[in-house]
Amino acid sequence: MARILITGGAGFIGSHTCVVLIEAGHDLLVFDSYINSSPIALKRVCKITGISAIEVNQRIQIIKGDISNKSNLDEIFKKAKEEKREIQAVIHFAGLKSVNESIKRPLAYWDTNVNGTANLLLTMESYECKRFIFSSSATIYGKPKSIPIVETEKINPINPYGNTKATVEKILLDLSRSDAEWCIASLRYFNPVGAHPSGLIGEDPNGEPNNLFPIVSKVAIGHKDILEVFGGDWPTKDKTCIRDYIHVMDLAEGHLEALNYLLRKKSEFLTLNLGSGKGHSVLEVVKSFEDTIGEKINYKIVGRRPGDTAKTIADPTQAKKILGWETRRTILDMCSDSWAWQTANPNGYKTGTT
Ligand code: NAD
Ligand code: WQD
């Protein structure tokens, strides 16, 4: 079992990955600024995994800090070295992730997502820690030419957020070419949704949500009047957009497999799609949600959202071939687990305690 640094570990995907890694026996250092998350998420991770107060610092050490601050990062590696409990790998979730916001605040996105990642890699290099998993995104494919999307598809981001992810992928390629000791996996997520089945952790976006699942959940619970379906004239079977939704627990398990794979390697550079290979339209998501809650979801079809594409579906063949990983959970699992989280935490972590 290994000691792993998880940046952004209190966030949506990070917190679920913490659960899976702890359950698999790994010891974690979780580093987060909480700019888009809550420390309560990590208390819930301990609750789900049954970590007692005595075990806390051994199994999951929680550190508040910012990847933009190099001395914050240096302290972690320095302390681990002094304690002779070196960090064997880093899973890097920390970053800003809103496409809309990135168009309005590109400098903040370049600074956190690119400069912050460079700070982390420089620190890792100076402590000879060379195993790295990066949260990349299907957004870097832009408007892909062929569906399902294979990893060799042209990288063609169409917004500042996507540009930052594509840039980090280039940095990682240069790094692996410069030094064969690096073992790197760049994981391109499709549309992560759902929650841990306990309903204790889930997605808790700051401010107004932009993504489909949190919005459908808000309409279902009555915090929002209506879902606006963006476009009813797409070239798809029911004329609404199709996406490859992936349950966050499947995604978390993908990280465990990628980590275990890199820990066995002496040199590696992997780029993998993490998706289900299946597409669901917006109206199919609405229908699955209605089946889950036993009520109708109020929606109306409006104009297309700028930047959307008709269809995005992963070809996940490489992840299956290399990691032996594939998704197991269905769209109904995604809806019912999202609903369990939403009903148990109507205001996210804001009114929660432990
Ligand atoms: P999230 O916002 O829930 O998690 C990111 C975490 O990073 C948060 O806890 C936040 O507080 C932390 N963070 C942000 N800036 C930081 C900084 N400067 N220093 C330290 N911590 C910082 O997002 P998520 O959905 O869990 O996404 C995790 C990663 O996966 C992100 O890099 C995101 O770009 C990427 N990704 C997400 C999706 C998605 O749809 N959720 C899809 C593809 C890729
Ligand atoms: C899904 C579908 C919308 C809201 C985003 C990022 C991407 C990645 C994953 C980080 C689309 C439709 C949505 C609404 C709607 N994140 N929709 N009404 O845009 O596929 O991907 O998250 O890397 O970079 O762009 O996800 O959940 O916003 O939209 O009709 O109110 O739902 O048009 O077809 P998207 P989404």
Side-chain angles (χ1 to χ4, degrees), residues 107-327:
L107 288 176
Y109 273 68
W110 281 90
D111 192 30
T112 299
N113 292 2
V114 179
N115 294 342
T117 303
N119 284 340
L120 176 60
L121 292 166
L122 282 163
T123 313
M124 289 176 67
E125 187 176 51
S126 65
Y127 285 89
E128 301 272 321
C129 174
K130 295 183 180 177
R131 287 193 169 81
F132 188 72
I133 297 181
F134 175 59
S135 294
S136 189
S137 169
T139 205
I140 66 171
Y141 295 119
K143 297 182 189 295
K145 284 210 174 65
S146 48
I147 304 286
I149 307 171
V150 287
E151 288 85 351
T152 48
E153 170 74 38
K154 191 164 180 252
I155 301 308
N156 194 17
I158 54 168
N159 54 61
Y161 167 71
N163 285 333
T164 66
K165 292 288 175 187
T167 301
V168 171
E169 285 208 1
K170 280 189 192 161
I171 294 175
L172 295 175
L173 182 59
D174 285 347
L175 187 57
S176 73
R177 283 177 177 156
S178 73
D179 176 353
E181 283 179 11
W182 278 90
C183 293
I184 295 172
S186 204
L187 305 179
R188 296 174 179 165
Y189 317 152
F190 278 66
N191 285 58
V193 298
H196 189 270
S198 63
L200 284 167
I201 55 174
E203 186 169 15
D204 183 20
N206 265 348
E208 276 298 299
N210 292 311
N211 300 111
L212 183 64
F213 264 70
I215 293 174
V216 174
S217 300
K218 296 269 175 242
V219 174
I221 204 156
H223 289 181
K224 203 171 160 51
D225 291 339
I226 195 160
L227 164 72
E228 293 187 331
V229 174
F230 297 139
D233 57 353
W234 293 97
T236 60
K237 56 189 170 185
D238 65 14
K239 308 231 178 305
T240 65
C241 289
I242 292 179
R243 294 289 179 272
D244 184 336
Y245 297 98
I246 171 170
H247 195 297
V248 66
M249 290 303 291
D250 279 329
L251 189 56
E253 288 166 7
H255 286 75
L256 174 65
E257 296 308 330
L259 173 68
N260 289 341
Y261 179 83
L262 291 189
L263 289 171
R264 295 193 296 271
K265 291 282 171 176
K266 296 260 179 282
S267 178
E268 186 60 78
F269 184 79
L270 268 185
T271 302
L272 294 175
N273 285 339
L274 294 187
S276 70
K278 295 181 194 85
H280 292 282
S281 72
V282 177
L283 292 184
E284 281 173 346
V285 169
V286 170
K287 172 78 173 58
S288 301
F289 228 91
E290 288 176 342
D291 291 347
T292 300
I293 67 172
E295 277 176 42
K296 288 281 172 206
I297 304 277
N298 197 16
Y299 75 85
K300 66 172 177 197
I301 310 257
V302 299
R304 292 183 179 188
R305 179 173 68 175
D308 269 344
T309 51
K311 209 172 181 183
T312 309
I313 301 175
D315 180 336
T317 310
Q318 287 304 311
K320 169 111 195 264
K321 198 170 143 199
I322 296 170
L323 304 180
W325 170 90
E326 62 186 333
T327 61

Side-chain angles (χ1 to χ4, degrees), residues 2-22:
R3 192 157 197 235
I4 314 297
L5 172 64
I6 316 278
T7 73
F12 172 43
I13 306 168
S15 56
H16 291 79
T17 304
C18 286
V19 167
V20 168
L21 296 193
I22 291 168

